[in-house]
Amino acid sequence: MGFSSSSSISVLLISSLLLGSYYCSVSEAQTTPPLVKGLSWTYYKSSCPDLESIVRKQLKKVFKNDIGQAAGLLRLHFHDCFVQGCDGSVLLDGSASGPSEKDAPPNLSLRAEAFEIINDLRSRVHKECGQVVSCSDITALAARDSVFLSGGPDYNVPLGRRDGLSFATRNETLANLPAPSSNATTILNSLATKNLDATDVVALSGGHTIGISHCTSFTERLYPTQDSSMDKTFAKNLKVICPVLNSTNTTVLDLRSPDLFDNKYYVDLMNRQGLFTSDQDLYTDKRTRSIVTSFAVNQTLFFEKFVLSMIKMSQLSVLTGTQGEIRANCSVKNSASVDLWSVVDEEEESKAVF
Ligand code: HEM
């Protein structure tokens, strides 16, 4: 897709000159966000010391074959954390009693392979250490490794999450995952309910530096009328990929470096080449524009803020201690087998009494 590099450079230069004030306020070194009670940086130190190397080694192999899977795993962790907290609830299959979180509209475009990769990592980890590591922790580590192995920053992940016993309803899922058609006000308000501020919103949206989208997530910006905040050449090229409103094709989220975790997503926004309204409006809106620019001109700053925001996101409403469980299979809660045991126990007890 074509874009004018000279105009993008001049936009960058002007903006970096105008940026002074915001840049100073966001560049101040910040400490790591506080750990939620029950999580720790060394949680599996004695129970599963090789956990992180097992996950990283396996994901290196997976990504060597298909780097696109990194984007799928990063998005999976985001969808897990935003709905009912990072409790692995998004991983659960539906049952006869009803559809799962996975079946709710925003989750239908999660990659099927992402769920398989998590289950495979779980079985590798449990083979080595026993059933001690939660599926939600494995998902958080897989997201971290997806960022790092795609060229992004490496960082430590607080561990000790437990897996949830239930999943959210369709309505709860829809209410917690903002739509790509949302403007900056909606996104800022939605993330504020999770104690995420404007810098977190802009930094986390930088997850769109890797991965793909289906046409249906943005074609309302093209038809019937073209969104005036979209670069004309970019729109023209998107219309080729998505010729009608409900085209089934996909396209990359970051046209400059689709598989690389870098700050080019913000350069895209400055050139009005953001795919979703929720992306582009971060540059249109006065409250977030200078943050976008600061990340576009300074990748180190973006990486620093992204890590802080990811650590915050990864601790949303986590279950710890004796809450929840460590699932034996990430797609099903353990209670099926627990229920069987309790039936046996009751039978034994009734024999003893009578
Ligand atoms: C702020 C609100 C957000 C909205 C509205 C949003 C929306 C979307 C949509 C609509 C897609 C494409 C789905 C499809 O059509 O296939 C997508 C993909 C993606 N999102 Fe987001 N997202 C948001 C935040 C995030 C965050 C916080 C992250 C991670 C830190 C993230 C990471 C990703 C990734 C990596 C993909 C590509 C997935 C793949 O290639 O399989 N998103 N997002």
Short mmCIF file of all heavy atoms in Angstrom, two decimals, residues 5-57:
data_model
loop_
_atom_site.label_atom_id
_atom_site.label_comp_id
_atom_site.label_asym_id
_atom_site.label_seq_id
_atom_site.Cartn_x
_atom_site.Cartn_y
_atom_site.Cartn_z
N SER A 5 6.37 8.89 2.03
CA SER A 5 7.29 8.90 3.16
C SER A 5 7.73 10.32 3.51
O SER A 5 7.96 10.64 4.66
CB SER A 5 8.49 8.01 2.86
OG SER A 5 9.10 8.43 1.69
N SER A 6 7.81 11.22 2.49
CA SER A 6 8.26 12.57 2.82
C SER A 6 7.22 13.27 3.69
O SER A 6 7.56 13.94 4.66
CB SER A 6 8.54 13.37 1.56
OG SER A 6 7.37 13.44 0.78
N SER A 7 5.91 13.06 3.36
CA SER A 7 4.91 13.74 4.20
C SER A 7 4.87 13.13 5.58
O SER A 7 4.71 13.82 6.57
CB SER A 7 3.53 13.72 3.55
OG SER A 7 3.02 12.42 3.55
N SER A 8 5.09 11.81 5.68
CA SER A 8 5.04 11.23 7.02
C SER A 8 6.21 11.70 7.86
O SER A 8 6.08 11.96 9.04
CB SER A 8 4.96 9.70 6.97
OG SER A 8 6.07 9.17 6.34
N ILE A 9 7.37 11.90 7.21
CA ILE A 9 8.53 12.39 7.97
C ILE A 9 8.29 13.83 8.44
O ILE A 9 8.54 14.18 9.58
CB ILE A 9 9.83 12.30 7.12
CG1 ILE A 9 10.20 10.82 6.98
CG2 ILE A 9 10.97 13.06 7.76
CD1 ILE A 9 11.25 10.54 5.95
N SER A 10 7.71 14.68 7.53
CA SER A 10 7.52 16.06 7.96
C SER A 10 6.49 16.13 9.08
O SER A 10 6.65 16.91 10.02
CB SER A 10 7.14 16.96 6.79
OG SER A 10 6.02 16.44 6.14
N VAL A 11 5.44 15.28 9.02
CA VAL A 11 4.46 15.28 10.12
C VAL A 11 5.18 14.92 11.42
O VAL A 11 5.01 15.55 12.45
CB VAL A 11 3.32 14.26 9.83
CG1 VAL A 11 2.43 14.12 11.06
CG2 VAL A 11 2.50 14.70 8.64
N LEU A 12 6.08 13.95 11.31
CA LEU A 12 6.81 13.51 12.50
C LEU A 12 7.67 14.63 13.07
O LEU A 12 7.69 14.87 14.27
CB LEU A 12 7.72 12.34 12.15
CG LEU A 12 7.09 10.96 12.22
CD1 LEU A 12 8.11 9.90 11.85
CD2 LEU A 12 6.58 10.71 13.63
N LEU A 13 8.38 15.33 12.16
CA LEU A 13 9.29 16.37 12.62
C LEU A 13 8.55 17.50 13.31
O LEU A 13 8.89 17.91 14.41
CB LEU A 13 10.07 16.93 11.42
CG LEU A 13 11.25 16.08 10.97
CD1 LEU A 13 11.89 16.67 9.73
CD2 LEU A 13 12.26 15.96 12.11
N ILE A 14 7.47 17.95 12.64
CA ILE A 14 6.71 19.06 13.22
C ILE A 14 6.16 18.64 14.58
O ILE A 14 6.30 19.34 15.57
CB ILE A 14 5.55 19.48 12.27
CG1 ILE A 14 6.14 20.05 10.99
CG2 ILE A 14 4.63 20.49 12.95
CD1 ILE A 14 5.15 20.16 9.84
N SER A 15 5.61 17.43 14.60
CA SER A 15 4.99 16.99 15.85
C SER A 15 6.01 16.83 16.95
O SER A 15 5.73 17.13 18.10
CB SER A 15 4.27 15.67 15.65
OG SER A 15 3.39 15.81 14.59
N SER A 16 7.21 16.37 16.59
CA SER A 16 8.19 16.18 17.66
C SER A 16 8.62 17.53 18.25
O SER A 16 8.91 17.63 19.42
CB SER A 16 9.39 15.37 17.18
OG SER A 16 9.97 16.00 16.08
N LEU A 17 8.58 18.57 17.40
CA LEU A 17 8.92 19.90 17.91
C LEU A 17 7.82 20.42 18.83
O LEU A 17 8.08 21.06 19.84
CB LEU A 17 9.11 20.89 16.74
CG LEU A 17 10.36 20.63 15.88
CD1 LEU A 17 10.37 21.54 14.67
CD2 LEU A 17 11.62 20.85 16.72
N LEU A 18 6.57 20.13 18.44
CA LEU A 18 5.45 20.63 19.22
C LEU A 18 5.25 19.87 20.53
O LEU A 18 4.49 20.25 21.39
CB LEU A 18 4.15 20.51 18.40
CG LEU A 18 4.05 21.39 17.15
CD1 LEU A 18 2.79 21.05 16.38
CD2 LEU A 18 4.06 22.86 17.53
N LEU A 19 5.97 18.77 20.62
CA LEU A 19 5.63 17.80 21.65
C LEU A 19 6.18 18.08 23.04
O LEU A 19 5.63 17.58 24.02
CB LEU A 19 6.19 16.46 21.17
CG LEU A 19 5.51 15.27 21.73
CD1 LEU A 19 4.10 15.25 21.17
CD2 LEU A 19 6.26 14.04 21.30
N GLY A 20 7.23 18.88 23.08
CA GLY A 20 7.96 19.11 24.31
C GLY A 20 7.24 18.84 25.62
O GLY A 20 7.65 17.98 26.37
N SER A 21 6.12 19.55 25.84
CA SER A 21 5.51 19.50 27.16
C SER A 21 5.02 18.10 27.50
O SER A 21 5.31 17.58 28.57
CB SER A 21 4.36 20.47 27.23
OG SER A 21 3.41 20.12 26.26
N TYR A 22 4.30 17.44 26.57
CA TYR A 22 3.79 16.12 26.93
C TYR A 22 4.95 15.15 27.11
O TYR A 22 4.98 14.35 28.04
CB TYR A 22 2.82 15.56 25.88
CG TYR A 22 2.33 14.22 26.36
CD1 TYR A 22 1.36 14.16 27.36
CD2 TYR A 22 2.92 13.04 25.92
CE1 TYR A 22 0.97 12.96 27.89
CE2 TYR A 22 2.54 11.83 26.45
CZ TYR A 22 1.56 11.80 27.43
OH TYR A 22 1.18 10.60 27.97
N TYR A 23 5.92 15.26 26.18
CA TYR A 23 7.03 14.31 26.21
C TYR A 23 7.68 14.29 27.59
O TYR A 23 7.96 13.24 28.14
CB TYR A 23 8.05 14.69 25.13
CG TYR A 23 9.23 13.78 25.15
CD1 TYR A 23 9.12 12.48 24.67
CD2 TYR A 23 10.44 14.19 25.69
CE1 TYR A 23 10.19 11.61 24.72
CE2 TYR A 23 11.52 13.33 25.74
CZ TYR A 23 11.39 12.04 25.24
OH TYR A 23 12.45 11.19 25.30
N CYS A 24 7.85 15.49 28.18
CA CYS A 24 8.48 15.55 29.50
C CYS A 24 7.63 14.81 30.52
O CYS A 24 8.13 14.05 31.32
CB CYS A 24 8.64 17.00 29.96
SG CYS A 24 9.87 17.83 28.95
N SER A 25 6.30 15.01 30.45
CA SER A 25 5.50 14.40 31.50
C SER A 25 5.41 12.89 31.35
O SER A 25 5.36 12.18 32.33
CB SER A 25 4.10 15.02 31.54
OG SER A 25 3.47 14.80 30.31
N VAL A 26 5.41 12.37 30.09
CA VAL A 26 5.33 10.91 30.00
C VAL A 26 6.67 10.22 30.08
O VAL A 26 6.72 9.02 30.28
CB VAL A 26 4.63 10.39 28.71
CG1 VAL A 26 3.15 10.39 28.84
CG2 VAL A 26 5.12 11.05 27.49
N SER A 27 7.76 10.98 29.87
CA SER A 27 9.05 10.30 29.82
C SER A 27 9.65 10.07 31.20
O SER A 27 10.61 9.34 31.34
CB SER A 27 10.03 11.08 28.95
OG SER A 27 10.29 12.30 29.57
N GLU A 28 9.04 10.70 32.22
CA GLU A 28 9.58 10.50 33.55
C GLU A 28 9.57 9.02 33.91
O GLU A 28 8.55 8.35 33.72
CB GLU A 28 8.74 11.26 34.58
CG GLU A 28 9.06 12.73 34.62
CD GLU A 28 7.94 13.55 35.24
OE1 GLU A 28 7.12 12.98 35.96
OE2 GLU A 28 7.91 14.75 34.96
N ALA A 29 10.70 8.55 34.41
CA ALA A 29 10.80 7.13 34.72
C ALA A 29 9.74 6.76 35.76
O ALA A 29 9.56 7.46 36.75
CB ALA A 29 12.18 6.83 35.27
N GLN A 30 9.00 5.71 35.47
CA GLN A 30 7.99 5.28 36.41
C GLN A 30 8.37 3.93 36.96
O GLN A 30 8.96 3.12 36.26
CB GLN A 30 6.64 5.14 35.70
CG GLN A 30 5.77 6.34 35.87
CD GLN A 30 4.48 6.16 35.08
OE1 GLN A 30 4.01 5.05 34.89
NE2 GLN A 30 3.94 7.26 34.62
N THR A 31 8.01 3.68 38.19
CA THR A 31 8.32 2.38 38.75
C THR A 31 7.28 1.39 38.25
O THR A 31 6.25 1.75 37.72
CB THR A 31 8.29 2.44 40.28
OG1 THR A 31 7.07 3.08 40.63
CG2 THR A 31 9.46 3.21 40.82
N THR A 32 7.58 0.13 38.41
CA THR A 32 6.65 -0.93 38.03
C THR A 32 5.36 -0.76 38.84
O THR A 32 5.42 -0.41 40.01
CB THR A 32 7.30 -2.28 38.37
OG1 THR A 32 8.61 -2.25 37.85
CG2 THR A 32 6.54 -3.44 37.80
N PRO A 33 4.20 -1.01 38.21
CA PRO A 33 2.96 -0.87 38.98
C PRO A 33 2.94 -1.84 40.16
O PRO A 33 3.59 -2.89 40.10
CB PRO A 33 1.86 -1.25 37.99
CG PRO A 33 2.51 -1.54 36.70
CD PRO A 33 3.98 -1.44 36.85
N PRO A 34 2.23 -1.48 41.22
CA PRO A 34 2.23 -2.35 42.40
C PRO A 34 1.64 -3.72 42.09
O PRO A 34 0.76 -3.85 41.24
CB PRO A 34 1.35 -1.60 43.39
CG PRO A 34 0.60 -0.57 42.61
CD PRO A 34 1.39 -0.29 41.37
N LEU A 35 2.15 -4.73 42.76
CA LEU A 35 1.63 -6.09 42.57
C LEU A 35 0.33 -6.25 43.34
O LEU A 35 0.21 -5.82 44.48
CB LEU A 35 2.62 -7.12 43.12
CG LEU A 35 3.83 -7.48 42.28
CD1 LEU A 35 4.48 -8.74 42.82
CD2 LEU A 35 3.43 -7.68 40.83
N VAL A 36 -0.62 -6.90 42.70
CA VAL A 36 -1.86 -7.25 43.38
C VAL A 36 -1.53 -8.30 44.43
O VAL A 36 -0.66 -9.16 44.20
CB VAL A 36 -2.86 -7.80 42.32
CG1 VAL A 36 -3.97 -8.60 42.95
CG2 VAL A 36 -3.41 -6.67 41.47
N LYS A 37 -2.21 -8.24 45.57
CA LYS A 37 -1.95 -9.19 46.65
C LYS A 37 -2.16 -10.62 46.14
O LYS A 37 -3.16 -10.91 45.50
CB LYS A 37 -2.93 -8.90 47.80
CG LYS A 37 -2.53 -9.49 49.11
CD LYS A 37 -3.35 -8.88 50.25
CE LYS A 37 -3.17 -9.68 51.52
NZ LYS A 37 -4.04 -10.83 51.61
N GLY A 38 -1.20 -11.48 46.42
CA GLY A 38 -1.34 -12.88 45.99
C GLY A 38 -0.52 -13.21 44.76
O GLY A 38 -0.23 -14.36 44.48
N LEU A 39 -0.13 -12.17 43.99
CA LEU A 39 0.74 -12.42 42.82
C LEU A 39 2.18 -12.14 43.23
O LEU A 39 2.44 -11.38 44.16
CB LEU A 39 0.36 -11.52 41.65
CG LEU A 39 -1.03 -11.70 41.02
CD1 LEU A 39 -1.17 -10.83 39.78
CD2 LEU A 39 -1.30 -13.16 40.66
N SER A 40 3.11 -12.77 42.53
CA SER A 40 4.52 -12.53 42.84
C SER A 40 5.37 -12.71 41.58
O SER A 40 4.95 -13.34 40.62
CB SER A 40 4.95 -13.47 43.97
OG SER A 40 5.97 -14.33 43.58
N TRP A 41 6.56 -12.11 41.62
CA TRP A 41 7.46 -12.22 40.46
C TRP A 41 8.12 -13.60 40.43
O TRP A 41 8.71 -13.98 39.43
CB TRP A 41 8.57 -11.14 40.52
CG TRP A 41 8.03 -9.74 40.55
CD1 TRP A 41 8.03 -8.89 41.61
CD2 TRP A 41 7.42 -9.02 39.46
NE1 TRP A 41 7.45 -7.68 41.25
CE2 TRP A 41 7.07 -7.74 39.95
CE3 TRP A 41 7.13 -9.35 38.13
CZ2 TRP A 41 6.45 -6.77 39.15
CZ3 TRP A 41 6.51 -8.38 37.34
CH2 TRP A 41 6.18 -7.12 37.84
N THR A 42 8.09 -14.31 41.53
CA THR A 42 8.83 -15.58 41.63
C THR A 42 7.92 -16.73 42.06
O THR A 42 8.35 -17.67 42.72
CB THR A 42 9.96 -15.43 42.67
OG1 THR A 42 9.38 -14.95 43.90
CG2 THR A 42 11.03 -14.46 42.22
N TYR A 43 6.67 -16.64 41.69
CA TYR A 43 5.64 -17.55 42.21
C TYR A 43 5.97 -19.04 42.02
O TYR A 43 5.72 -19.85 42.89
CB TYR A 43 4.30 -17.22 41.53
CG TYR A 43 3.12 -17.86 42.21
CD1 TYR A 43 2.55 -17.30 43.34
CD2 TYR A 43 2.58 -19.05 41.71
CE1 TYR A 43 1.47 -17.89 43.98
CE2 TYR A 43 1.50 -19.66 42.34
CZ TYR A 43 0.95 -19.07 43.47
OH TYR A 43 -0.11 -19.66 44.10
N TYR A 44 6.50 -19.39 40.84
CA TYR A 44 6.74 -20.82 40.55
C TYR A 44 8.22 -21.19 40.72
O TYR A 44 8.65 -22.22 40.20
CB TYR A 44 6.28 -21.15 39.12
CG TYR A 44 4.79 -20.94 38.91
CD1 TYR A 44 4.30 -19.87 38.16
CD2 TYR A 44 3.86 -21.81 39.47
CE1 TYR A 44 2.94 -19.68 37.96
CE2 TYR A 44 2.48 -21.64 39.28
CZ TYR A 44 2.04 -20.57 38.53
OH TYR A 44 0.68 -20.39 38.34
N LYS A 45 8.95 -20.36 41.44
CA LYS A 45 10.40 -20.56 41.57
C LYS A 45 10.73 -21.98 42.03
O LYS A 45 11.63 -22.62 41.48
CB LYS A 45 10.97 -19.53 42.55
CG LYS A 45 12.45 -19.34 42.38
CD LYS A 45 12.96 -18.23 43.25
CE LYS A 45 14.49 -18.24 43.11
NZ LYS A 45 15.16 -17.52 44.12
N SER A 46 10.02 -22.49 43.00
CA SER A 46 10.34 -23.85 43.43
C SER A 46 9.40 -24.89 42.84
O SER A 46 9.82 -26.01 42.58
CB SER A 46 10.37 -23.95 44.95
OG SER A 46 9.16 -23.46 45.47
N SER A 47 8.13 -24.52 42.56
CA SER A 47 7.20 -25.54 42.06
C SER A 47 7.34 -25.82 40.57
O SER A 47 7.00 -26.90 40.10
CB SER A 47 5.76 -25.15 42.38
OG SER A 47 5.43 -23.94 41.74
N CYS A 48 7.84 -24.84 39.81
CA CYS A 48 8.01 -25.07 38.37
C CYS A 48 9.09 -24.13 37.82
O CYS A 48 8.82 -23.22 37.04
CB CYS A 48 6.68 -24.84 37.64
SG CYS A 48 6.67 -25.49 35.95
N PRO A 49 10.34 -24.38 38.24
CA PRO A 49 11.40 -23.42 37.90
C PRO A 49 11.62 -23.23 36.40
O PRO A 49 12.08 -22.17 35.99
CB PRO A 49 12.64 -24.02 38.58
CG PRO A 49 12.29 -25.42 38.96
CD PRO A 49 10.81 -25.49 39.07
N ASP A 50 11.29 -24.24 35.58
CA ASP A 50 11.54 -24.11 34.14
C ASP A 50 10.35 -23.57 33.36
O ASP A 50 10.38 -23.53 32.12
CB ASP A 50 11.97 -25.46 33.55
CG ASP A 50 13.34 -25.86 34.05
OD1 ASP A 50 14.11 -24.96 34.43
OD2 ASP A 50 13.62 -27.08 34.08
N LEU A 51 9.29 -23.18 34.08
CA LEU A 51 8.07 -22.72 33.40
C LEU A 51 8.34 -21.75 32.24
O LEU A 51 7.93 -21.98 31.11
CB LEU A 51 7.13 -22.06 34.44
CG LEU A 51 5.97 -21.24 33.89
CD1 LEU A 51 5.00 -22.13 33.12
CD2 LEU A 51 5.23 -20.53 35.02
N GLU A 52 9.06 -20.66 32.55
CA GLU A 52 9.20 -19.62 31.53
C GLU A 52 10.04 -20.09 30.35
O GLU A 52 9.78 -19.71 29.21
CB GLU A 52 9.76 -18.34 32.16
CG GLU A 52 8.84 -17.87 33.28
CD GLU A 52 8.96 -16.40 33.64
OE1 GLU A 52 9.42 -15.61 32.82
OE2 GLU A 52 8.57 -16.06 34.77
N SER A 53 11.03 -20.97 30.61
CA SER A 53 11.83 -21.43 29.47
C SER A 53 11.06 -22.45 28.64
O SER A 53 11.22 -22.49 27.42
CB SER A 53 13.20 -21.94 29.92
OG SER A 53 13.03 -23.04 30.77
N ILE A 54 10.18 -23.24 29.26
CA ILE A 54 9.36 -24.19 28.49
C ILE A 54 8.46 -23.41 27.53
O ILE A 54 8.37 -23.70 26.33
CB ILE A 54 8.48 -25.07 29.42
CG1 ILE A 54 9.35 -25.93 30.35
CG2 ILE A 54 7.51 -25.94 28.61
CD1 ILE A 54 8.57 -26.64 31.47
N VAL A 55 7.81 -22.36 28.06
CA VAL A 55 6.88 -21.57 27.25
C VAL A 55 7.63 -20.86 26.11
O VAL A 55 7.25 -20.92 24.95
CB VAL A 55 6.11 -20.55 28.13
CG1 VAL A 55 5.29 -19.58 27.30
CG2 VAL A 55 5.22 -21.29 29.14
N ARG A 56 8.74 -20.22 26.46
CA ARG A 56 9.45 -19.45 25.44
C ARG A 56 10.03 -20.35 24.34
O ARG A 56 9.93 -20.04 23.16
CB ARG A 56 10.55 -18.60 26.06
CG ARG A 56 11.27 -17.76 25.02
CD ARG A 56 11.94 -16.55 25.57
NE ARG A 56 11.01 -15.55 26.06
CZ ARG A 56 11.39 -14.33 26.47
NH1 ARG A 56 12.66 -13.98 26.40
NH2 ARG A 56 10.51 -13.47 26.91
N LYS A 57 10.59 -21.48 24.75
CA LYS A 57 11.20 -22.39 23.78
C LYS A 57 10.14 -22.90 22.79
O LYS A 57 10.35 -22.91 21.58
CB LYS A 57 11.84 -23.57 24.54
CG LYS A 57 12.85 -24.34 23.75
CD LYS A 57 13.60 -25.33 24.61
CE LYS A 57 13.80 -26.60 23.83
NZ LYS A 57 13.67 -27.81 24.63
#
